[in-house]
Amino acid sequence: MGSRLDLDPRSPGAEVLRTQRPARRDGSLAVPIVVGRKIWGAVDAGTRGDRFPQRTEAWLENLAELVAMSLTNEENRIELVASRARLLASTHETRRRIEEELQSGPKQVLVSVVLQLRMIQESVPDAPRIRDRIDAV
């Protein structure tokens, strides 16, 4: 897995890659492994006799389909892990940005309001009720 073999151009495996169909030749049988409508590889079998047992081609086609499903599942798992990582990074970045905006925006406004209220409070020294109400605010 993960490596490429140089195929004899007359081999069933090479024929599968050319035709995208099962191929037989000289006691060998190969069927394509198709992943996402593309040839990923081939399952190749050989026999010591002149003939394969009945239904060998169908069995190899089923095996190739299982291999293709397994490869597709692994690709999907890798994509899912990457998608989760992107989602977590995006969530973290959004949370960080909101925290920064809260620090720079509303917090500064509230500090400004408090300072203005203190100035108003200082400007009405003869009105204890008003000063108390401003203090409550």
Side-chain angles (χ1 to χ4, degrees):
M1 187 160 169
S3 60
R4 295 178 181 266
L5 302 174
D6 290 329
L7 296 175
D8 179 341
R10 299 166 301 188
S11 72
E15 187 174 333
V16 164
L17 294 177
R18 278 192 309 274
T19 65
Q20 300 184 7
R21 303 179 64 89
R24 290 176 179 261
R25 186 168 286 125
D26 301 328
S28 289
L29 169 62
V31 296
I33 299 172
V34 180
V35 177
R37 297 185 182 148
K38 292 181 182 176
I39 295 283
W40 183 87
V43 176
D44 201 335
T47 182
R48 290 187 181 136
D50 292 342
R51 302 174 70 179
F52 283 96
Q54 277 188 325
R55 305 221 5 97
T56 299
E57 188 171 327
W59 185 85
L60 283 178
E61 286 173 347
N62 288 337
L63 177 62
E65 188 175 328
L66 288 172
V67 170
M69 283 191 289
S70 178
L71 292 167
T72 300
N73 286 343
E74 180 59 14
E75 287 175 355
N76 290 339
R77 187 192 68 76
I78 289 168
E79 288 176 19
L80 180 62
V81 167
S83 175
R84 284 180 182 163
R86 286 190 304 273
L87 181 60
L88 286 173
S90 175
T91 301
H92 177 71
E93 176 59 27
T94 300
R95 186 176 295 131
R96 187 194 60 74
R97 192 176 66 249
I98 289 171
E99 287 172 359
E100 284 179 4
E101 288 174 5
L102 285 174
Q103 287 291 328
S104 63
K107 185 176 180 182
Q108 286 182 359
V109 169
L110 286 174
V111 168
S112 175
V113 168
V114 168
L115 290 175
Q116 288 177 27
L117 284 172
R118 296 249 190 257
M119 287 172 46
I120 294 169
Q121 193 177 35
E122 295 296 323
S123 71
V124 285
D126 296 337
R129 239 174 99 210
I130 294 175
R131 291 182 73 180
D132 289 343
R133 289 179 76 188
I134 291 173
D135 199 33
V137 170

